[in-house]
Amino acid sequence: MIDRPRRFGGWTGALAGLVAVTSVAAQEAPPLQVPAKSVPVPSDVSPQMAKIIGAPLRSNWNIQPKTGEAWKPVAEAGAAALAKLVPGMLERLKVKVERTTIDGVRAFILTPEEMPPENRNRLLVHVHGGCYVLNPGEAGLPEAIFMAGFGRFKVISVDYRMPPEATYPAAHDDAITVWKAATRMADPKNMAVFGTSAGGALTLAMVLRAKQEGLPLPAAIAPGTPMSDTTKVGDSFVTNAMLDNVLVSPDGFCDDGAKVYANGHDLKDPMLSPVYGDMHGFPPTILTTGTRDLLLSNTVRVHRKLRDAGVEAYLQVGEGQSHAHYIRDDTAPETRKVFEEIAWFFDRHLGR
Amino acid sequence: MIDRPRRFGGWTGALAGLVAVTSVAAQEAPPLQVPAKSVPVPSDVSPQMAKIIGAPLRSNWNIQPKTGEAWKPVAEAGAAALAKLVPGMLERLKVKVERTTIDGVRAFILTPEEMPPENRNRLLVHVHGGCYVLNPGEAGLPEAIFMAGFGRFKVISVDYRMPPEATYPAAHDDAITVWKAATRMADPKNMAVFGTSAGGALTLAMVLRAKQEGLPLPAAIAPGTPMSDTTKVGDSFVTNAMLDNVLVSPDGFCDDGAKVYANGHDLKDPMLSPVYGDMHGFPPTILTTGTRDLLLSNTVRVHRKLRDAGVEAYLQVGEGQSHAHYIRDDTAPETRKVFEEIAWFFDRHLGR
């Protein structure tokens, strides 16, 4: 049994610094004092997912590189580690990948060994995550491989420019350049865009920008746990802090990554905080998050905004999962189910 | 900025007692030590919802009555307070209510003043929440009023028997008795069942039982934050403990209420923990929960189970909301949106 707390130890108020940041509109009630917790790995997940959920907090979550040059070695070390996992993923999921350049933008083309007839005229565009500073090259591929493999779609994954090579709007420009090119390769009615975290935000931003520029829209999108609000508004930035073992804190590495990419550009611009964008006319959208995700609120807020705009929008939430846990291990049944759900949604909304 | 915790105060381990309960299948990693937090009311909710979210923890959350007789004064005091709010709700939402008895079961019939033509042959059945021990009589009506008012449907609300009057399976029997009678009043293809918390679990249990008994199934259901697992499995039982200001703790009042109703019956029986039931053949289902809900996991686990069974299932999650916050204040825009979403889902799946 849990005793009702009447006094609090030294860590009370550890997150109190967030109050000033998140309470943009003053809400009168005093903050709730939540005691420290010892949180076990949930029993109702697969052994593979239990391993991901049970991992300690990301070791470098509180580094705060302030320049693109300072990010570079961090990104390179992370990418080298991730890239090693790619060949195994490609083999297990029977996906082939080739590097290419599309209208000057670096990209990869992923093709499943077997493509069902209904997917032969379909084409997906993928934008990877990593706080706009991480996962260059092959390191950005896991989610694209999972989608190509579990969904058996052809996928173009955009290896967009990041700091120190370039800052905002370079990644956005590269993504929209590839989108434009892709709409000449297939019928946009047969196409979808997807991505996780910064890639989820880019997915939403691509639709906002396509609307602005009068470009064809995709027939569906799948933003996974999108960084939809870089201004730190969202309840789970507080409630899931120090619980999400990937992003860990709203003041952690990802915040600095986004700021370095923004390079002074207003973070409330819907291009960087798409939850503030006008979502009328958006294509059907499937959103993915987890119960421990620091961006749980930023995902459900996008869902609500889409529904308010009359858009068909569908939400899936992974039990016990922190930020983007579903793009870690293709052998976890939870991973397969997330991508099968997205594939089901795409199949429902894409032409053939 | 949040410091990374290296030492923990007196409240570390306050929830450690849960480990033994939830780790039915041993998951190897050590528990994550989450420091105490000071959690403000989120800035991105309406003033009405901010008031609900900002309320202190329910004052009697840790009472633990062990008999129906001990629950009775608690239920009566709560019901008297809630019943006072009902006339205002009926007036604002333009709904009429009459008491009745259906095949021996106490019930209410709710009728909106104006019913659109497409709803005239439709009929909804409502089962209220309250841990199987609370909200007798008018106190069980708010959700039924919101559905009748915002959705403009005719609703039968079941005032089922509870301890000390009767224990399991009395509430289940009453609910299914009313369902059977209702299927003689309207075409089941034009009908839906809904309810929140214990009422969400009853909604799921009614479908399981209708399947077993070969009764007609409703065309859609809306279990809100269902008590789908009374065995305390579910990650948010830990992660949202002391944060959800309604249920507060898996070891709080609601657990005892369910046990008093179960009266020794196996809590893992799908009638009392419907997440373990066979959901093949279930009708389209819309589930509602909140980011701070103690039953967030129990809601998303049902969503996943339904999808695994090939059922069309749709999830909505309220920003910052604890357990069943959406049935508190009909003047909160968030409340209206939740019921409009359920009405949209019913309209999509019910015949006319």
Side-chain angles (χ1 to χ4, degrees):
Chain A
M1 167 191 163
I2 301 165
D3 291 323
R4 187 172 179 194
R6 291 176 211 285
R7 294 163 54 89
F8 300 92
W11 283 100
T12 298
L15 298 183
L18 292 174
V19 179
V21 178
T22 56
S23 286
V24 175
Q27 304 278 23
E28 289 168 23
L32 180 65
Q33 305 304 321
V34 178
K37 298 180 189 181
S38 181
V39 181
V41 177
S43 60
D44 54 338
V45 299
S46 72
Q48 296 95 317
M49 189 51 73
K51 201 172 165 189
I52 295 169
I53 293 173
L57 302 186
R58 182 189 182 103
S59 64
N60 62 350
W61 71 264
N62 52 358
I63 57 166
Q64 304 190 307
K66 301 293 186 201
T67 65
E69 290 299 342
W71 271 106
K72 199 171 182 185
V74 180
E76 282 175 354
L82 253 179
K84 279 185 197 158
L85 306 175
V86 164
M89 291 174 176
L90 290 167
E91 195 180 328
R92 282 189 298 275
L93 292 175
K94 301 188 191 340
V95 172
K96 286 176 186 165
V97 64
E98 51 177 324
R99 273 179 190 273
T100 185
T101 303
I102 298 175
D103 289 352
V105 177
R106 290 185 297 269
F108 296 89
I109 311 273
L110 296 97
T111 317
E113 261 181 37
E114 284 178 39
M115 193 143 45
E118 67 269 22
N119 285 352
R120 290 203 183 131
N121 294 318
R122 289 168 166 171
L123 179 62
L124 311 187
V125 173
H126 172 247
V127 270
H128 68 78
C131 315
Y132 301 104
V133 287
L134 301 176
N135 301 328
E138 280 83 356
L141 288 179
E143 184 180 30
I145 297 169
F146 296 178
M147 196 72 244
F150 291 121
R152 297 193 294 169
F153 291 102
K154 183 172 179 177
V155 176
I156 300 175
S157 183
V158 188
D159 185 17
Y160 52 77
R161 287 169 293 159
M162 298 190 292
E165 183 182 8
T167 58
Y168 179 84
H172 289 69
D173 286 346
D174 288 355
I176 209 77
T177 295
V178 171
W179 171 248
K180 278 187 207 169
T183 61
R184 293 188 300 264
M185 301 175 199
D187 185 337
K189 289 189 185 67
N190 302 349
M191 294 172 61
V193 177
F194 70 104
T196 281
S197 194
L202 278 167
T203 298
L204 295 165
M206 283 166 74
V207 177
L208 289 170
R209 191 153 152 187
K211 277 176 60 182
Q212 284 168 8
E213 298 186 11
L215 302 173
L217 301 186
I221 59 173
T225 179
M227 285 175 63
S228 70
D229 194 331
T230 48
T231 73
K232 301 192 190 178
V233 172
D235 196 44
S236 65
F237 275 131
V238 183
T239 58
N240 282 344
M242 310 307 290
L243 175 64
D244 178 323
N245 64 3
V246 176
L247 293 180
V248 186
S249 157
D251 300 315
F253 68 102
C254 206
D255 181 52
D256 289 276
K259 282 178 181 155
V260 166
Y261 173 63
N263 194 26
H265 192 81
D266 182 7
L267 292 175
K268 210 167 176 173
D269 183 327
M271 285 295 136
L272 292 171
S273 290
V275 74
Y276 301 109
D278 174 8
M279 297 188 184
H280 289 91
F282 263 50
T285 301
I286 178 169
L287 294 144
T288 306
T289 179
T291 61
R292 294 190 186 185
D293 189 349
L294 197 74
L295 303 194
L296 171 63
S297 289
N298 277 211
T299 307
V300 307
R301 288 169 71 215
V302 168
H303 183 238
R304 186 67 258 172
K305 276 286 303 268
L306 288 163
R307 294 297 301 136
D308 287 348
V311 175
E312 173 141 356
Y314 181 92
L315 185 63
Q316 58 177 338
V317 183
E319 164 70 340
Q321 293 176 32
S322 295
H323 187 66
H325 271 178
Y326 60 89
I327 57 170
R328 295 293 192 87
D329 182 354
D330 54 287
T331 74
E334 290 90 343
T335 303
R336 179 175 53 74
K337 288 177 180 185
V338 160
F339 286 90
E340 285 177 354
E341 194 79 345
I342 297 171
W344 160 82
F345 190 83
F346 285 171
D347 186 59
R348 195 165 165 161
H349 294 290
L350 267 57
R352 298 180 176 191
Chain B
M1 175 199 152
I2 301 167
D3 290 323
R4 187 170 180 198
R6 290 175 212 282
R7 296 162 53 91
F8 299 92
W11 283 99
T12 298
L15 298 184
L18 293 174
V19 178
V21 177
T22 56
S23 286
V24 175
Q27 304 277 23
E28 287 167 24
L32 180 65
Q33 304 306 319
V34 179
K37 298 179 190 181
S38 180
V39 182
V41 177
S43 61
D44 54 339
V45 300
S46 72
Q48 296 97 316
M49 190 52 73
K51 200 171 165 190
I52 295 169
I53 294 173
L57 302 185
R58 182 189 182 103
S59 63
N60 63 349
W61 71 264
N62 52 357
I63 57 167
Q64 304 191 306
K66 301 293 185 201
T67 66
E69 290 300 341
W71 271 108
K72 198 171 181 183
V74 180
E76 283 175 352
L82 252 180
K84 279 185 197 158
L85 306 175
V86 165
M89 291 173 176
L90 289 167
E91 196 181 327
R92 283 189 298 275
L93 293 175
K94 301 190 190 345
V95 173
K96 286 176 184 164
V97 63
E98 51 177 324
R99 273 180 190 272
T100 187
T101 303
I102 298 175
D103 288 351
V105 177
R106 292 184 298 269
F108 296 90
I109 310 274
L110 296 97
T111 317
E113 261 180 38
E114 283 179 39
M115 193 143 43
E118 67 270 21
N119 285 352
R120 292 206 180 127
N121 295 317
R122 289 168 166 173
L123 178 61
L124 311 187
V125 173
H126 172 248
V127 271
H128 69 78
C131 315
Y132 301 105
V133 287
L134 301 175
N135 301 328
E138 280 83 355
L141 288 179
E143 184 181 29
I145 297 168
F146 296 178
M147 195 72 244
F150 291 121
R152 298 193 294 169
F153 291 102
K154 184 172 179 177
V155 176
I156 300 176
S157 183
V158 188
D159 185 18
Y160 52 78
R161 286 169 295 158
M162 299 191 291
E165 183 183 8
T167 57
Y168 180 84
H172 290 69
D173 286 346
D174 288 355
I176 209 76
T177 296
V178 171
W179 171 249
K180 278 186 207 171
T183 61
R184 293 187 300 264
M185 301 175 199
D187 184 338
K189 289 189 185 65
N190 302 349
M191 293 171 63
V193 177
F194 69 103
T196 281
S197 194
L202 278 166
T203 298
L204 295 165
M206 284 166 74
V207 177
L208 289 170
R209 190 152 154 186
K211 277 176 61 182
Q212 284 169 6
E213 299 186 10
L215 303 174
L217 301 186
I221 59 172
T225 178
M227 285 174 63
S228 70
D229 194 332
T230 48
T231 73
K232 300 191 190 178
V233 173
D235 195 44
S236 64
F237 276 131
V238 183
T239 57
N240 282 345
M242 310 307 290
L243 175 65
D244 178 324
N245 63 3
V246 176
L247 293 179
V248 185
S249 157
D251 300 316
F253 68 102
C254 207
D255 181 51
D256 290 275
K259 282 178 180 154
V260 166
Y261 172 64
N263 195 28
H265 192 80
D266 182 7
L267 292 175
K268 211 167 176 173
D269 183 326
M271 285 296 135
L272 292 171
S273 290
V275 74
Y276 301 110
D278 174 8
M279 296 188 185
H280 288 90
F282 262 52
T285 302
I286 177 168
L287 294 144
T288 306
T289 181
T291 61
R292 294 190 188 186
D293 190 349
L294 197 74
L295 303 193
L296 171 63
S297 289
N298 276 212
T299 307
V300 307
R301 288 169 71 216
V302 168
H303 184 238
R304 186 66 260 172
K305 275 287 302 265
L306 287 163
R307 293 298 301 136
D308 286 347
V311 176
E312 173 142 357
Y314 181 92
L315 184 63
Q316 58 176 338
V317 182
E319 164 71 342
Q321 293 177 32
S322 295
H323 187 65
H325 271 178
Y326 60 88
I327 57 169
R328 294 295 193 85
D329 182 354
D330 53 285
T331 74
E334 290 90 343
T335 304
R336 180 175 53 74
K337 287 178 181 183
V338 160
F339 286 91
E340 285 178 353
E341 194 80 345
I342 297 171
W344 160 81
F345 190 83
F346 285 171
D347 187 59
R348 195 165 166 162
H349 294 289
L350 267 57
R352 300 182 175 188

